[in-house]
Amino acid sequence: MAVTRKAFVIGHPIAHSRSPLIHGTWLAQYGIDGSYEAIDVPPAALADFFVRLRSGEFAGGNVTIPHKEAVFALCDAVDPLARTIGAVNTLVVADGRVQGTNTDYLGFLGNLDAGAPGWDENEPDVAVLGAGGAARAVLVALKSRRVGTIHLFNRTLETAIRLADELGPGIQPHEYSDFSITAPFCRLVVNTSSVGMHGTRFEGLDLARLPEDAVVSDIVYSPLETPLLADARARGLRGIDGLGMLLHQAVPGFEHWFGVRPEVTPDLRARIEATLEG
Ligand code: ATR
């Protein structure tokens, strides 16, 4: 008899997580005998949770705030890309060992490939906005593909310089005041910063000099239509919102735990979209 496969997302708090809805939709769609539950694990209880994991109760699961860095020390192995990104968001348990990985960079690429096929033809230059934690997954993703120069913009230039030194070569740090000079060469713009959340906007970021076929992508998904994306679309540019990245980053985890590679469908997207603010 087949064993029921169980997976989870751990975080603290965890009630806001959309992952149970995403994975639950796929479990039902593919008729899989499995479960995916949200488990609130406070930081002090994380080590005990790993004891439970090694017992074999779960096939694996997702890790979210505030545990994405702390789990490094508890995993039996962490893949090199997760190390470079500096965060583990996915755990796979096999033979009592816990392997940590990061699927955010695959989610970013999966979303871009689905929404803007051919975006990386002819090695485009790329503008990345923001140099915080989320930028690392995007930079690792971009560097895994054939792109030209990656222009890394940040409010605090020193942070961009440090990140470019760490993840370069091919990454050029800038202040936002350089944006209009580099814009004519960039066929992809990616916002990785928190600007856009709750409708906040970049002041003075002029999209007018981007090429006509440029793609503007935002990893913020609440709201779905950030002011940056609205500006891009008003200029006739293609916009890719951040919800797709959330959906696509879930694909490799589900495949690891349940053995089926799930599809990101319009129906799944609509279900999650219905849970987002305005
Ligand atoms: P995350 O892990 O979500 O990336 P983070 O590490 O705190 O969060 O990074 C937030 C990013 O948003 C940083 O690049 C930050 O710029 P600074 O390094 O200058 O702080 C950027 N950011 C936040 N608020 C911003 C604002 N009002 N204007 C421009 N950039 C902003």
Side-chain angles (χ1 to χ4, degrees), residues 130-135 154-156 159 176 192-195 202:
N154 200 43
R155 177 178 59 180
T156 313
T159 313
Y176 282 108
T192 73
S193 79
S194 48
V195 178
F202 287 100

